[in-house]
Amino acid sequence: MCGRYTITVTEEELMLRFMLESSTPFYEPRYNVAPGQMIPAIINNGAQNKLGQLRWGLIPSWAKDAKIGYTMINARVETIADKPAFRTSLRSKRCIIPADGFYEWKRTEDGKQPMRIVQKTGQLFAMAGLYDTWVSPEGDKISSCTIITTVPNKTMAGIHDRMPIILKKQDEAAWLDRSIQDVNLLQSLIGQPFPDEELRVYPVTQAVGNVKNDSPENIKEVS
């Protein structure tokens, strides 16, 4: 699964990387993003990429209760085309969750050690996501998302049996293009885990286990 991540860049870096044309009042660097929180996400409105906020944990439009979102922080790439919660969003409600690292816990003789996984270049990357909008019986709207996961590459295999889909940079525009609804084409964009040789993994503080801890100390390498 993917249950914690970081996005520590400046707003200017984020805007340049994803060709965003307008700034937002809500963005700030985050060192311990967790499910249930409002997170920065990118969609395309047919003319340009736009940055907004989505709640992490997808609530399908047909759900009877918003609590279902807590069980849908991730969607398995192998089943998104078939599961009712995801198949409609796959065709027309795709998003990118920008990040510069994610956390996973590795089992060791001394217990679970939190690890941070980043690109070796240190650059931002795009995690593939799906979103939907749910309306409560009272008329309140919640727009929410899920991060798509796949089997691990060699780097991740010794840590966890899943990892987030990280899109190739050249595939990001197609993923966001709502006019593309060919499921086979879309699955080809997310069919492989990120190249093993392009990732770096390093141990970080146990403090990331508490969602209240959201500081630059979280991403420092520990011995």
Side-chain angles (χ1 to χ4, degrees), residues 28-56:
E28 60 182 4
R30 305 203 20 213
Y31 300 87
N32 199 4
V33 185
Q37 297 177 349
M38 299 300 291
I39 65 174
I42 297 166
I43 65 169
N44 187 282
N45 64 5
Q48 63 183 37
N49 289 348
K50 298 192 70 175
L51 182 71
Q53 287 186 299
L54 298 172
R55 182 189 290 186
W56 187 5

Side-chain angles (χ1 to χ4, degrees), residues 187-208:
Q187 288 183 317
S188 74
L189 303 179
I190 54 175
Q192 299 294 326
F194 199 70
D196 178 74
E197 66 276 6
E198 296 182 28
L199 291 181
R200 174 180 176 240
V201 179
Y202 65 90
V204 294
T205 174
Q206 294 286 348
V208 302

